[in-house]
Amino acid sequence: MPYTYEKDGAAIYRQSFATIRAEADLARFDPDEEQIAVRMIHAAGLVGLEEHVRFSPGFAQKARAALEAGAPIFCDARMVSEGVTRPRLPAGNDVICTLQDPSVPDLAKQMGNTRSAAALELWRPRLEGALVAIGNAPTALFHLLNMLEDPDCPRPAAIIGCPVGFVGAMESKDALWADQPVPCCIVKGRLGGSAITVAAINAIASRAE
Amino acid sequence: MPYTYEKDGAAIYRQSFATIRAEADLARFDPDEEQIAVRMIHAAGLVGLEEHVRFSPGFAQKARAALEAGAPIFCDARMVSEGVTRPRLPAGNDVICTLQDPSVPDLAKQMGNTRSAAALELWRPRLEGALVAIGNAPTALFHLLNMLEDPDCPRPAAIIGCPVGFVGAMESKDALWADQPVPCCIVKGRLGGSAITVAAINAIASRAE
């Protein structure tokens, strides 16, 4: 006998978000932050993630204003850039991942760093005012912080710092949170990754649920 | 002062996997399953995920043999297909996501189902012997199970069933586990998603760590 199940995408979203709001502790977030946190929990399938989510003051507003003004979104991995729901973007914003650029492997060797970190060097010409989303590589987030130590480096409008894993993820996010070179959002600790990062971008891009 | 951090990709992997093997409870897995579970934990940044991971007998061997024989990998989302590390594939296997096919929106309307589910109808011509990876949509996994109720539907070699979320994810994975139309791997409950699914594919594709 064929399985019966909810087949209406809009109903699935409604029920999912209602479940998250019933179960998660979202009291400390303002309404814009709450919408972002709910989507992050949704992408992770994990109530409790909210305990690890931090937004610096003005992050949601700055990030959204940047997208509304047409800023590009720079992503450290194709899994992030491919996940962004294009129709949600307020200004047909460019979503850019430079990891596969042919110059990156040589650049990485020259820098003695990972390809994920080297790829950020290609962001400089359009980095000013952009939304940056690091959802995979701690080395990318560390390299971004080092780039931003140079006062001549262009400043993004906001940074989503959600690399995942066991080596450098926690440390790079703690460093971003301590530095706060621009408004930022992090998931403290080991949790993070492309799905959570994409969820944050999609929530910033549009309030539509 | 610039941050110093581990910049050697291979060293990062080694340290990460060593940490996971020190912390996670992997005793119930055979060596092939263990390698897959370790990568899934790595992608999630979550020791403890292993408690929810289930492999049916012969899954790892069947899935690997399929890839070695050149089988395609069918994915329900671009975040899954984009995450597969191409150089790890043993036979330059095709990695296919049909979600963006122009025929899918109309097909979904006609079927009264989501685009994620409708997209699977386009898999039929090459589904026989393929590796299937569902890392996002419960509706896709439910629809696959319903397709496979028809004895004339081509059989994939193995199914990675890891949709994520709050509506249908748990239920669709429980249904796959109960049916076991072919060897399969699931993450029980709400957890799952594209990163975990990609990790399983990448581990099956190559034993290299």
Side-chain angles (χ1 to χ4, degrees):
Chain A
M1 207 179 62
Y3 290 101
T4 55
Y5 52 95
E6 181 58 74
K7 296 175 180 174
D8 174 10
I12 292 169
Y13 269 104
R14 264 198 312 277
Q15 272 182 253
S16 299
F17 289 176
T19 301
I20 292 166
R21 290 196 164 98
E23 293 186 14
D25 181 5
L26 303 164
R28 69 185 168 84
F29 299 122
D30 75 26
D32 283 321
E33 294 169 350
E34 192 254 18
Q35 276 208 316
I36 300 171
V38 165
R39 270 197 181 256
M40 293 168 89
I41 293 166
H42 179 247
L46 184 62
V47 167
L49 180 72
E50 68 274 14
E51 293 165 34
H52 310 285
V53 176
R54 301 283 182 281
F55 299 99
S56 68
F59 164 81
Q61 294 72 22
K62 280 272 167 52
R64 180 165 285 152
L67 294 189
E68 285 169 355
I73 304 171
F74 282 106
C75 309
D76 69 326
R78 297 265 304 167
M79 284 185 71
V80 177
S81 57
E82 285 297 318
V84 177
T85 306
R86 299 314 195 260
R88 295 182 67 88
L89 295 171
N93 309 255
D94 288 335
V95 185
I96 302 165
C97 174
T98 53
L99 186 57
Q100 263 81 18
D101 188 278
S103 68
V104 166
D106 281 349
L107 193 58
K109 255 179 229 155
Q110 203 179 303
M111 290 166 58
N113 208 327
T114 63
R115 287 183 296 121
S116 293
L120 271 63
E121 288 296 326
L122 306 182
W123 296 1
R124 291 180 184 268
R126 295 185 66 193
L127 186 56
E128 185 74 35
L131 176 60
V132 164
I134 309 281
N136 185 42
T139 55
L141 182 50
F142 269 129
H143 186 61
L144 177 66
L145 292 175
N146 283 346
M147 284 167 64
L148 292 172
E149 291 217 337
D150 173 3
D152 292 336
C153 179
R155 309 271 112 179
I159 298 171
I160 301 168
C162 292
V164 61
F166 297 85
V167 175
M170 182 178 71
E171 295 82 355
S172 63
K173 291 179 286 191
D174 284 349
L176 171 60
W177 193 249
D179 277 13
Q180 302 213 7
V182 300
C184 61
C185 155
I186 66 165
V187 176
K188 276 185 77 73
R190 292 170 170 178
L191 294 172
S194 48
I196 292 172
T197 304
V198 163
I201 299 171
N202 283 336
I204 292 162
S206 165
R207 285 189 176 86
E209 302 203 326
Chain B
M1 207 179 63
Y3 290 102
T4 56
Y5 53 95
E6 182 57 75
K7 295 174 181 174
D8 174 10
I12 293 169
Y13 269 103
R14 265 197 313 277
Q15 272 182 253
S16 298
F17 289 177
T19 301
I20 293 166
R21 289 194 165 98
E23 293 186 16
D25 181 7
L26 303 163
R28 69 185 168 85
F29 299 122
D30 76 25
D32 282 321
E33 293 169 349
E34 192 254 18
Q35 275 207 316
I36 300 171
V38 165
R39 269 197 182 257
M40 293 168 89
I41 294 166
H42 179 246
L46 184 63
V47 168
L49 181 72
E50 68 274 15
E51 294 165 35
H52 310 284
V53 176
R54 300 282 183 281
F55 299 100
S56 69
F59 165 80
Q61 294 73 21
K62 280 272 167 54
R64 181 165 284 152
L67 293 190
E68 285 169 355
I73 305 171
F74 283 106
C75 309
D76 69 326
R78 296 265 304 168
M79 284 185 71
V80 177
S81 57
E82 285 297 320
V84 176
T85 307
R86 300 311 195 265
R88 296 182 67 88
L89 295 171
N93 309 255
D94 288 335
V95 185
I96 301 166
C97 173
T98 53
L99 186 57
Q100 263 81 19
D101 189 277
S103 67
V104 166
D106 280 351
L107 193 57
K109 256 180 226 154
Q110 203 178 303
M111 291 167 58
N113 208 328
T114 64
R115 286 184 296 121
S116 294
L120 272 63
E121 288 295 325
L122 306 181
W123 297 1
R124 291 180 184 268
R126 295 185 66 192
L127 186 56
E128 185 74 37
L131 175 61
V132 165
I134 309 279
N136 184 42
T139 55
L141 182 51
F142 269 129
H143 187 61
L144 177 66
L145 292 174
N146 283 347
M147 283 167 65
L148 291 172
E149 292 217 337
D150 173 2
D152 292 336
C153 180
R155 309 271 112 180
I159 299 169
I160 302 168
C162 292
V164 60
F166 297 85
V167 174
M170 182 178 71
E171 296 82 356
S172 64
K173 292 180 285 191
D174 285 347
L176 170 61
W177 193 249
D179 278 12
Q180 302 214 5
V182 300
C184 61
C185 155
I186 65 165
V187 176
K188 276 184 77 73
R190 292 171 170 178
L191 293 174
S194 48
I196 291 172
T197 304
V198 164
I201 300 171
N202 284 335
I204 292 163
S206 166
R207 285 188 176 86
E209 302 204 327

